[in-house]
Amino acid sequence: MVDYIVVGLGLAGTAFCENLRRNNKTFVVFNDRSQTSSRVAGGLYNPVILKRFTLSWRADEQLPIATRFYTDLEELLDVRFDKKLSVFRKFASIEEQNLWFEAADKVKLKPYLDTTLIANENAALKAPFKFGKVLQTGKLNTNLLFDSYENWLRDNDKLMLDTFDYDQIQFEKDCITYQNIKAKHIVFTEGFGLMRNPYFNYLPMQGSKGEYIVIEAKELDESNIIKSSIFLIPLGNDLYKVGATYNRNQKDNITTEEAKNELVDKLKNLLDCSFTVVDHVAGMRPTVKDRRPLVGQHPKHKNLWVLNGFGSHGITIAPWAARSLYDYIESKIPLLPEMDITRFAEY
């Protein structure tokens, strides 16, 4: 008997498992690595939507929790996957600069937008209208995070590298049996894999395919994250991750020449140096119709729970939403209505 079975080990699954570990709950995780979005993504945490200069949904609540969460996780795993990097937003015009200053005057945005414009001193970048600097930003090495956490789970006999078979769930009076495991609860944190889950695939997940390229640019020598129409993310050793695209029509993890060419064209508008594409990756973001997470209890099977739908902001949302779900299950603290799955039609 364990307290929880967790299905999936992206950002949502890792964050929920940490709530279980810290509260001395017993659990086992099933993960077949079929969902790639958390590993493929740029790994950025940034509280501001830089297209419109607005605060991301509840980012001022989420960011302090996320910052503490990843610091604690680094201590547990004895690895360093969180790198503090500045995000420089390239301005396309004087009008954009003015919009930046207007946004920086707003109470909730003041802590995140630096009002000192930064002149471009990198000859390899095209930025005649300067940059605005976003504060409290950085990048996670998500592959290092997940590989290290998987190793910790394996070392503690908590990891099953198997595909979860929904047909093997047996509902009993006070628990669930799955294969030879009895559990009080199952929490599904499957990302876009939710679409295959017969218990929660009624929820309106749309999914958005994102593609990134990795380039080598020896003349670029840039240590900050640059945001123009795309993100340019330094990886070290003259490598940079560039992305991402958004495609709601394709529902797979297969890279496309169309997306690659789109990113290369946008990159040419930013860079004034040569570069070579050395890698190309794709993944499905778990995006939702109303752009809010999918968190809560199955309407019929009260031992089944879902934690999903973070879209492109999973790094900041996951620790906060995972804590909310844990507090709901264990202490009956209500979920925010805007992320509770009861907002959608029942099963």
Side-chain angles (χ1 to χ4, degrees):
M1 169 72 81
V2 295
D3 294 313
Y4 287 84
I5 294 172
V6 178
V7 183
L9 196 63
L11 290 165
T14 301
F16 193 79
C17 287
E18 275 302 281
N19 277 274
L20 300 179
R21 182 188 67 82
R22 294 172 186 180
N23 287 282
N24 298 314
K25 299 296 182 181
T26 53
F27 64 96
V28 64
V29 181
F30 284 82
N31 183 46
D32 64 3
R33 287 194 168 189
S34 62
Q35 301 306 307
T36 62
S37 66
S38 291
R39 287 179 175 268
V40 164
L44 303 184
Y45 51 93
N46 162 35
V48 182
I49 298 172
L50 290 173
K51 186 175 182 179
R52 302 186 297 274
F53 306 150
T54 55
L55 192 68
S56 298
W57 177 68
R58 293 185 178 268
D60 52 338
E61 300 174 40
Q62 297 161 6
L63 191 57
I65 293 171
T67 300
R68 185 72 226 169
F69 173 81
Y70 295 117
T71 298
D72 290 346
L73 194 54
E74 285 184 324
E75 292 302 314
L76 172 72
L77 302 175
D78 194 24
V79 293
R80 297 294 172 262
F81 52 76
D82 184 358
K83 188 172 185 180
K84 309 301 180 187
L85 292 174
S86 295
V87 174
F88 283 14
R89 169 53 154 90
K90 174 189 168 182
F91 295 125
S93 64
I94 299 296
E95 288 75 18
E96 274 201 338
Q97 292 180 1
N98 293 334
L99 291 172
W100 178 272
F101 286 121
E102 288 177 18
D105 272 341
K106 296 177 180 176
V107 172
K108 286 203 168 188
L109 283 165
K110 272 183 184 291
Y112 308 114
L113 300 183
D114 194 321
T115 54
T116 302
L117 297 185
I118 298 171
N120 177 33
E121 297 179 351
N122 189 338
L125 292 174
K126 301 175 184 176
F129 293 101
K130 302 184 179 181
F131 298 102
K133 181 179 178 181
V134 190
L135 307 174
Q136 301 187 47
T137 58
K139 177 189 179 300
L140 300 187
N141 182 335
T142 52
N143 282 308
L144 178 59
L145 187 166
F146 294 132
D147 289 345
S148 301
Y149 200 67
E150 277 192 4
N151 289 337
W152 184 88
L153 290 171
R154 187 182 296 109
D155 290 345
N156 288 274
D157 297 321
K158 296 179 183 297
L159 181 64
M160 303 285 186
L161 292 175
D162 300 324
T163 298
F164 191 85
D165 183 357
Y166 308 100
D167 292 337
Q168 292 194 46
I169 298 177
Q170 297 178 32
F171 296 95
E172 301 181 18
K173 184 178 179 181
D174 297 316
C175 68
I176 292 166
T177 298
Y178 179 79
Q179 296 177 350
N180 62 339
I181 304 168
K182 288 186 181 294
K184 297 175 184 176
H185 308 279
I186 302 180
V187 178
F188 293 102
T189 65
E190 303 161 289
F192 191 68
L194 180 84
M195 302 301 290
R196 299 193 303 267
N197 187 322
Y199 296 101
F200 289 104
N201 61 8
Y202 71 93
L203 294 169
M205 178 173 285
Q206 291 178 325
S208 171
K209 182 177 178 179
E211 299 190 44
Y212 282 87
I213 57 174
V214 176
I215 64 165
E216 183 179 44
K218 293 185 180 296
E219 303 164 52
L220 182 49
D221 192 25
E222 181 58 52
S223 58
N224 299 298
I225 299 164
I226 306 296
K227 173 66 171 79
S228 57
S229 59
I230 39 130
F231 277 101
L232 176 78
I233 307 164
L235 302 177
N237 300 316
D238 298 321
L239 298 177
Y240 301 84
K241 199 165 197 176
V242 179
T245 59
Y246 290 82
N247 188 325
R248 291 182 181 173
N249 298 317
Q250 296 174 353
K251 310 294 185 183
D252 57 54
N253 297 326
I254 301 170
T255 58
T256 65
E257 283 299 307
E258 180 184 7
K260 177 182 174 181
N261 292 335
E262 176 187 337
L263 294 172
V264 167
D265 287 344
K266 289 180 176 179
L267 194 55
K268 287 177 178 177
N269 291 325
L270 175 63
L271 298 188
D272 200 12
C273 66
S274 61
F275 62 88
T276 305
V277 177
V278 296
D279 198 10
H280 183 189
V281 293
M284 285 297 302
R285 303 179 191 88
T287 54
V288 183
K289 181 173 65 176
D290 65 359
R291 299 185 180 184
R292 296 292 178 263
L294 300 172
V295 184
Q297 184 178 43
H298 190 274
K300 178 181 176 184
H301 301 292
K302 302 304 182 181
N303 305 80
L304 302 185
W305 308 83
V306 66
L307 180 65
N308 207 319
F310 302 157
S312 57
H313 295 280
I315 286 175
T316 48
I317 294 177
W320 172 83
R323 179 191 290 185
S324 296
L325 179 58
Y326 180 83
D327 289 344
Y328 180 44
I329 298 172
E330 294 292 337
S331 304
K332 303 298 184 284
I333 298 173
L335 294 167
L336 279 177
E338 55 199 303
M339 71 176 178
D340 193 328
I341 59 171
T342 55
R343 69 190 189 274
F344 298 116
E346 291 193 357
Y347 186 71

